[in-house]
Amino acid sequence: MKFISKIFNKHCHFTLIALLSIGWTGFAQKTEKIYLSGKDFKNPVQWDFMCTDGHNSNTWTTINVPSNWELEGFGEYTYGRWYKELDQQEPSKEEGFYKYKFNIPANYKGKNVTIVFGGAMTDTEVKINGKSAGDIHQGGFYEFKYDITSLLNYGTENLLEVHVSKHSSNHTVNNAERKTDWWLFGGIYRPVWLNVAPNSNIKNVAVDAKMDGSLSADLELVNIPKNSTIEANISPIGSDEKFPSITVDIIHKDQLQTIKAKWNGIKTWDPESPNLYTLSLSLKNKGKTIHTSKTKIGFRTLEFLKKDGIYVNGKKIVMKGINRHEIWPESGRSTDKDISVLDVNLIKDMNMNAVRFHYPPATHFLEVCDSLGLFVLNELAGWQNPYDTKVGSKLIKETVQRDVNHPSVIIWDHGNEGGWNYETDHLFHKYDPQNRIVIHPWSDFDGWDTHHYPTYLTGMHRFNNGENVFFPTEFMHGTYDNGIGAGLDDFWTRYSKSPLFAGGFMWAMLDEAVLRTDWKGEQKYDSKGNLAADGVLGPHREKEGSFFTVKEVWSPIQFKPKQITSTFDGSFLITNTYIYTNLNSCTLEYRVLKADNDVIYNSNKAEVIAQNPIKITDIPPGETRKINFDLPNIFFKGDWLEITATDKHGREIYTWSWPIHRAPYFANKFIKTEKENSKVSISQIANKVALTSEELNVELDSKTGEITKITNKTGDVPFINGPRPVGMKAEVETIKTEQFKDSVVCTVNYSGGIDHIRWTMHGDGRLKMKAVLLKNAGRSSGFDGAFIQGEISQFGLTFDFPENGVKSIKWLGNGPYRVWKNRLKGATMGLWEKDYNKTITGESFENLVYPEFKGYHANMLVANLKTEHGNLKFFSESDKLFLRLFTPDLPQKAVSKVFPQPEFPEGNISFMYEIPGMRAFKSLEDQGPESQPTSIRIKSGDQGIPMTLWFDFRNN
């Protein structure tokens, strides 16, 4: 192993000399950034390494840097709830020892050399050539640095030694970072590099760039000669536009200086138009440039008005946000810019404009937020426990100085849910010339109410009678398939009515499952059961159904409800919910789609029979106006209409859809009819009623009214034991059979919740069920009107069918994701098809297939369930009918009490008018109206609720 390390270090030695020599020759006046590690986990550099405990411990070997050592096969995995749900005595406390050799060219002598660590968990001691670089750094989420100019051997080899303790010697650091609801890792997980600058340099820049083009910059200067000046230039990123340079005299020798400048004609930064500039500050003396510092900035003005709201560039903002952990399954907290780009695009794709963390993220994530456009709440770690004043003061300085110039960062979060230290609040403003507000997430603090997980009816000073600006920094908790989209529409509609509402942040973006390098067998990824399975996305960013619900609910274009009928004239009312953008900069396009008559039987797809852009005139933010398009002559020959909106950057906002016809039209169009065969008969013997044709035989139990047997030409079709009532009671009273020339009819009359069900079999084997529910029901004295079982969260008819052997389903209706009563948005009208899967949302990480197969599907019009027992085809003449496909499997790995899903009705395949809502962390009673059970009242004279279905069980 020593031989291998020696060879590797020799290789690094020559590489670094080459890099340093080339770098210094070309860029003498700039700060050079020379990596000692890899730039990210995908491009690491190996260092010598030894871990003291756990897997592969007490042996010197090599490790990739950057990385979390658990994901490299060292130490032990620990989740931060070790002291609570996991009931462990203490977390793992292994330590890691790193060594790395590098060379510094002789011509670097006289320069200023700083070693920078992007992040290391948790206590980090650094030595150069056996000498301490400075105090041990405590805090695992922060960038820290040491001036090592005097410790280096110039023109020869240097030894870097790093000692990282996963468990801090400071109990407040452990309480803030390691008694938490997240994964605890160890190691140097962000890059390590050298900053090489001239002896006289601009050490630090903190900018306040306003929307009017004015700029103030606090500078920290080192070794400044007399009569020096600062020359300031701005260059727009992505444009060749030129701006004049501005020169400012340095009027005194103080280390800290403030300069001011102003440019005309700048473009402001906001999430909808994230215009960025490169600010170049050149330190000059006697006409010679000594050092140049470059910083990306955005011009924007922040105003925080208590009892009013948060303003950016003069516009009151509403943040549509989500909380994000920085994590990747195969690398832990060690990520790269590609992941940041992926994640910011996914957030933007959900029509969000904001993101929040529990600790400062990697710099590249903030850079992407700057360039693509997101508001950021940047947080000092402290999950329910604060840092002490000494450590917390250092970490606030590191956080603010690193991130102060990012225009995306608009608020500083000081800890989370009690993890703040009042003694250090003021330090954020000490280092931040923009004076961003400091909030205490989940508390009502200093005029800013960030109450976590408020109920729908939250009030009592917080909302109804509140006076503080309200923006819950956590709400809509998304464990498994809970929350996130479920109930969001209700919450958002109510909260948005308040002029004090400034938005909210859902918990959370990701299921934080990580690769267990210490596990053998089929299971590879671990989310500690329900503790970290909180996301709207899977660990590799797989999209759950709520992703699309959020995308529709938070779309900046909102369509007023509309039903297409024969009077449809191509017009809609739409509302602009952007903050800054006029909708005339967006594009709309409509498409009319039509499916072939036999599409449900064959592999055909729908085709677009008409499409054109829709002109959008002037619609400013907050306005509701009419749009319209000229209906093509063939419009009503189509089956459904789609309208897609695209923003000014080319990103899809959403695609909405509407059926052009009602359910009977689709049933009549798509069910296959054959030449009627007169050989159809009906018989009743004992308790059995048989409907028989050459294609199909159906047997009903005359006592229960349920199907007991179905047989076609190839054998039994096990679609039986139904229809059984769901959400009501019913008993058979009488049965009547009728014989017609080309059909037979069996009418089952009930007492209770079902009035009657009329079964019709045609000579070609088609089977029709026409049920009338809740019509003067309860006429039988045996029920006394109590045929409804309390409040109704489930209502319909159900059947049995074996799940074993199911292959796929193809259907026309809303999809492709399953729905809950309070999560109907995000599923759109279309022709969909998906294979059978047993995905458990937030748990099936080894084979996470979305959309899930099992569950409720909205507005089922026609469907073909393909199975080993034959294909079952359903056709609805009733609009807004839910198809229940089996019961989703319950999670198996929960470590604390959870409510993963509502109870499903009996049976396996159901046709429902009412389905339950999904809870969002709080109980359903604490959510909005769409989450509540239905109340049904039946009065004399009511005609009842019809449900008409066709079944095709023929062998075709």
Side-chain angles (χ1 to χ4, degrees):
M1 188 60 68
K2 290 181 179 178
F3 178 68
I4 294 174
S5 299
K6 186 175 180 181
I7 294 174
F8 177 75
N9 288 328
K10 182 179 179 182
H11 171 74
C12 291
H13 164 86
F14 287 110
T15 302
L16 190 57
I17 286 178
L19 285 172
L20 293 175
S21 299
I22 293 170
W24 184 252
T25 300
F27 303 97
Q29 297 165 348
K30 298 179 182 178
T31 298
E32 281 302 288
K33 186 174 185 179
I34 309 299
Y35 283 92
L36 301 182
S37 72
K39 291 185 178 181
D40 52 58
F41 79 97
K42 293 178 182 175
N43 302 281
V45 170
Q46 287 194 328
W47 291 14
D48 292 333
F49 180 71
M50 182 183 72
C51 187
T52 59
D53 292 291
H55 293 274
N56 299 314
S57 59
N58 294 310
T59 300
W60 277 97
T61 179
T62 58
I63 192 172
N64 290 326
V65 181
S67 70
N68 284 125
W69 61 55
E70 295 84 355
L71 281 302
E72 297 291 308
F74 299 97
E76 296 180 13
Y77 285 78
T78 305
Y79 195 80
R81 299 288 274 182
W82 55 269
Y83 63 98
K84 196 169 183 181
E85 291 90 349
L86 302 178
D87 195 26
Q88 298 172 1
Q89 293 301 310
E90 284 187 312
S92 55
K93 296 183 178 181
E94 66 266 19
E95 301 171 26
F97 291 87
Y98 296 80
K99 293 181 182 180
Y100 185 72
K101 293 179 180 179
F102 62 97
N103 279 66
I104 293 289
N107 62 355
Y108 268 57
K109 197 164 187 178
K111 310 302 177 186
N112 181 271
V113 183
T114 303
I115 189 168
V116 186
F117 289 77
M121 296 176 166
T122 298
D123 286 3
T124 307
E125 180 182 15
V126 179
K127 292 182 180 180
I128 301 292
N129 298 322
K131 296 180 181 180
S132 173
D135 293 339
I136 293 174
H137 184 268
Q138 296 179 319
F141 297 99
Y142 307 91
E143 181 177 298
F144 58 97
K145 60 190 70 174
Y146 301 99
D147 186 336
I148 59 172
T149 305
S150 63
L151 302 178
L152 293 171
N153 297 323
Y154 295 91
T156 186
E157 189 173 74
N158 293 270
L159 174 63
L160 167 63
E161 296 174 279
V162 186
H163 175 198
V164 179
S165 299
K166 183 175 176 179
H167 189 84
S168 177
S169 63
N170 184 312
H171 76 279
T172 70
V173 174
N174 291 323
N175 289 342
E177 298 185 12
R178 294 175 57 76
K179 294 181 75 172
T180 57
D181 194 4
W182 62 61
W183 282 101
L184 312 178
F185 295 115
I188 304 170
Y189 69 101
R190 287 177 182 164
V192 181
W193 66 92
L194 301 177
N195 279 338
V196 183
N199 189 43
S200 297
N201 63 78
I202 303 170
K203 183 178 180 180
N204 191 65
V205 178
V207 170
D208 183 13
K210 301 290 192 182
M211 63 182 293
D212 64 355
S214 63
L215 179 144
S216 174
D218 293 344
L219 308 182
E220 185 177 355
L221 306 174
V222 178
N223 297 324
I224 304 302
K226 292 181 180 180
N227 302 318
S228 295
T229 61
I230 296 289
E231 183 180 88
N233 289 278
I234 58 169
S235 301
I237 296 175
S239 170
D240 295 329
E241 187 178 3
K242 302 295 183 182
F243 288 85
S245 61
I246 297 174
T247 299
V248 180
D249 292 332
I250 299 176
I251 59 176
H252 51 78
K253 281 192 169 184
D254 290 348
Q255 185 179 12
L256 302 179
Q257 303 269 339
T258 299
I259 64 168
K260 296 183 182 297
K262 190 175 188 299
W263 290 273
N264 295 320
I266 62 94
K267 295 179 180 178
T268 57
W269 184 97
D270 64 66
E272 297 164 20
S273 299
N275 298 298
L276 292 175
Y277 293 79
T278 298
L279 171 66
S280 298
L281 298 176
S282 295
L283 175 62
K284 291 190 171 185
N285 187 263
K286 297 179 181 179
K288 179 182 178 181
T289 299
I290 302 173
H291 182 231
T292 297
S293 171
K294 292 193 174 185
T295 307
K296 289 182 181 179
I297 64 169
F299 288 87
R300 50 108 179 95
T301 298
L302 303 177
E303 295 175 279
F304 305 100
L305 304 182
K306 294 180 181 181
K307 301 184 181 182
D308 183 358
I310 300 171
Y311 290 76
V312 179
N313 299 336
K315 302 290 186 181
K316 183 184 283 192
I317 68 168
V318 173
M319 292 173 283
K320 301 173 181 178
I322 199 162
N323 288 271
R324 173 189 181 264
H325 271 301
E326 185 159 87
I327 196 165
W328 188 256
E330 286 75 29
S331 60
R333 304 270 177 234
S334 191
T335 61
D336 71 343
K337 190 167 185 177
D338 288 344
I339 293 173
S340 291
V341 171
L342 171 66
D343 284 2
V344 173
N345 273 310
L346 286 165
I347 293 171
K348 297 281 288 186
D349 284 346
M350 284 187 278
N351 290 312
M352 296 178 177
N353 63 7
V355 64
R356 173 188 173 236
F357 306 90
H358 274 336
Y359 38 77
T363 299
H364 50 69
F365 188 87
L366 295 179
E367 291 171 348
V368 180
C369 291
D370 293 340
S371 63
L372 293 183
L374 284 178
F375 292 131
V376 174
L377 273 59
N378 201 349
E379 188 161 305
L380 187 82
W383 195 83
Q384 300 187 352
N385 294 283
Y387 298 106
D388 65 41
T389 299
K390 182 179 179 181
V391 172
S393 298
K394 294 179 180 179
L395 298 181
I396 290 172
K397 180 179 180 181
E398 289 170 354
T399 299
V400 177
Q401 286 193 338
R402 191 197 72 162
D403 297 339
V404 66
N405 295 324
H406 290 282
S408 57
V409 176
I410 63 167
I411 292 173
W412 302 115
D413 296 2
H414 190 176
N416 174 67
E417 298 183 358
W420 47 78
N421 181 342
Y422 291 98
E423 294 180 1
T424 56
D425 276 329
H426 69 283
L427 294 175
F428 287 92
H429 290 163
K430 178 179 179 180
Y431 305 109
D432 178 15
Q434 297 179 31
N435 283 316
R436 298 168 174 94
I437 58 169
V438 177
I439 64 170
H440 291 174
W442 96 337
S443 75
D444 199 345
F445 171 70
D446 195 29
W448 313 106
D449 184 353
T450 59
H451 181 46
H452 281 189
Y453 305 105
T455 64
Y456 177 78
L457 293 175
T458 191
M460 287 299 292
H461 185 72
R462 285 199 178 277
F463 188 77
N464 289 338
N465 301 308
E467 60 181 21
N468 291 333
V469 177
F470 181 65
F471 56 108
T473 41
E474 290 180 28
F475 80 129
M476 309 305 295
H477 196 289
T479 304
Y480 295 134
D481 203 24
N482 296 178
I484 303 292
L488 174 64
D489 204 12
D490 277 346
F491 276 96
W492 200 252
T493 299
R494 179 170 186 266
Y495 290 171
S496 296
K497 293 178 180 178
S498 170
L500 291 173
F501 185 54
F505 294 78
M506 293 185 288
W507 187 268
M509 182 177 177
L510 307 170
D511 291 333
E512 295 117 40
V514 297
L515 176 67
R516 292 296 298 255
T517 58
D518 56 338
W519 280 1
K520 308 299 180 185
E522 293 183 1
Q523 187 178 351
K524 299 178 181 178
Y525 296 98
D526 184 9
S527 66
K528 283 301 172 192
N530 59 297
L531 295 183
D534 301 336
V536 70
L537 298 169
H540 292 101
R541 285 45 175 177
E542 302 90 341
K543 297 175 183 177
E544 297 179 7
S546 282
F547 179 97
F548 300 95
T549 306
V550 175
K551 186 178 180 72
E552 181 175 3
V553 173
W554 278 354
S555 165
I557 297 177
Q558 291 291 317
F559 278 76
K560 296 294 183 183
K562 183 109 178 188
Q563 179 174 287
I564 293 178
T565 68
S566 60
T567 64
F568 178 63
D569 62 356
S571 66
F572 292 90
L573 285 174
I574 63 173
T575 300
N576 180 358
T577 66
Y578 275 118
I579 301 171
Y580 306 94
T581 302
N582 194 306
L583 291 189
N584 60 16
S585 66
C586 301
T587 60
L588 286 179
E589 182 184 74
Y590 79 83
R591 293 179 299 280
V592 180
L593 292 100
K594 179 181 180 181
D596 292 340
N597 291 18
D598 63 346
V599 71
I600 206 69
Y601 293 87
N602 298 310
S603 59
N604 304 3
K605 297 182 179 180
E607 63 172 331
V608 176
I609 61 172
Q611 69 182 96
N612 264 310
I614 302 174
K615 185 178 180 180
I616 309 177
T617 56
D618 180 58
I619 308 180
E623 294 290 326
T624 299
R625 295 184 184 173
K626 182 185 285 188
I627 61 166
N628 66 280
F629 63 93
D630 294 331
L631 263 61
N633 294 332
I634 58 173
F635 180 82
F636 287 101
K637 293 183 179 180
D639 292 322
W640 71 94
L641 168 69
E642 293 180 349
I643 296 180
T644 296
T646 305
D647 72 11
K648 59 187 177 183
H649 304 291
R651 186 186 304 274
E652 183 196 88
I653 296 172
Y654 194 70
T655 295
W656 298 264
S657 60
W658 298 262
I660 294 175
H661 307 281
R662 303 273 65 80
Y665 171 91
F666 294 110
N668 181 67
K669 174 179 177 176
F670 291 113
I671 193 168
K672 183 181 290 186
T673 59
E674 305 289 349
K675 185 177 180 180
E676 293 275 341
N677 190 320
S678 59
K679 294 181 180 180
V680 58
S681 63
I682 189 167
S683 62
Q684 183 173 1
I685 302 174
N687 294 329
K688 182 177 74 173
V689 178
L691 292 73
T692 305
S693 71
E694 288 189 359
E695 298 289 337
L696 194 70
N697 179 70
V698 176
E699 296 181 4
L700 300 171
D701 187 313
S702 60
K703 289 186 175 181
T704 64
E706 297 175 11
I707 295 174
T708 58
K709 188 175 183 179
I710 298 176
T711 307
N712 62 23
K713 287 185 176 181
T714 62
D716 290 342
V717 180
F719 185 79
I720 57 174
N721 300 332
R724 306 200 299 277
V726 176
M728 55 186 163
K729 300 176 183 178
E731 291 181 359
V732 173
E733 283 194 334
T734 62
I735 288 185
K736 178 182 178 182
T737 61
E738 298 174 272
Q739 176 80 53
F740 298 95
K741 179 180 179 181
D742 296 321
S743 64
V744 294
V745 175
C746 175
T747 303
V748 183
N749 295 305
Y750 296 81
S751 59
I754 304 174
D755 182 80
H756 70 271
I757 295 178
R758 180 181 175 91
W759 293 95
T760 302
M761 180 181 284
H762 291 264
D764 60 359
R766 287 174 292 140
L767 182 66
K768 183 179 183 180
M769 181 195 80
K770 184 174 182 179
V772 176
L773 314 175
L774 307 185
K775 175 187 176 183
N776 285 333
R779 61 181 179 273
S780 168
S781 59
F783 280 98
D784 296 326
F787 53 88
I788 298 295
Q789 300 172 1
E791 293 183 320
I792 301 300
S793 60
Q794 302 172 343
F795 181 80
L797 301 173
T798 190
F799 297 81
D800 288 343
F801 187 83
E803 188 175 327
N804 182 40
V806 173
K807 297 177 181 178
S808 65
I809 186 169
K810 185 177 186 180
W811 80 103
L812 181 68
N814 289 14
Y817 281 82
R818 68 189 187 193
V819 299
W820 305 102
K821 178 183 178 181
N822 54 3
R823 197 187 77 185
L824 298 179
K825 287 190 173 181
T828 56
M829 173 72 179
L831 183 65
W832 307 104
E833 190 165 8
K834 59 183 174 182
D835 293 333
Y836 174 83
N837 64 72
K838 299 182 71 173
T839 291
I840 298 174
T841 309
E843 188 167 285
S844 303
F845 300 123
E846 283 69 38
N847 186 30
L848 197 55
V849 179
Y850 289 126
E852 305 95 332
F853 187 83
K854 296 186 279 187
Y856 297 108
H857 296 75
N859 195 27
M860 188 280 293
L861 293 167
V862 297
N864 185 353
L865 183 66
K866 300 176 183 180
T867 83
E868 293 178 358
H869 309 285
N871 295 344
L872 284 66
K873 290 164 279 289
F874 312 120
F875 307 82
S876 174
E877 288 192 16
S878 301
D879 289 300
K880 306 299 182 182
L881 200 62
F882 295 97
L883 171 64
R884 176 273 191 101
L885 279 178
F886 307 105
T887 301
D889 296 334
L890 293 174
Q892 303 298 309
K893 302 178 179 67
V895 298
S896 62
K897 186 178 181 181
V898 295
F899 301 91
Q901 64 190 29
E903 183 178 354
F904 273 70
E906 295 179 357
N908 310 98
I909 296 178
S910 313
F911 304 92
M912 313 280 287
Y913 278 123
E914 183 73 16
I915 63 172
M918 172 61 82
R919 67 192 298 273
F921 199 56
K922 302 281 188 179
S923 63
L924 287 176
E925 290 81 3
D926 290 326
Q927 296 177 211
E930 291 305 317
S931 299
Q932 308 310 314
T934 291
S935 176
I936 299 178
R937 296 184 66 190
I938 309 303
K939 295 190 174 182
S940 176
D942 286 351
Q943 293 184 347
I945 299 174
M947 181 187 293
T948 303
L949 294 166
W950 288 86
F951 301 96
D952 187 351
F953 299 128
R954 297 170 293 184
N955 181 34
N956 49 35

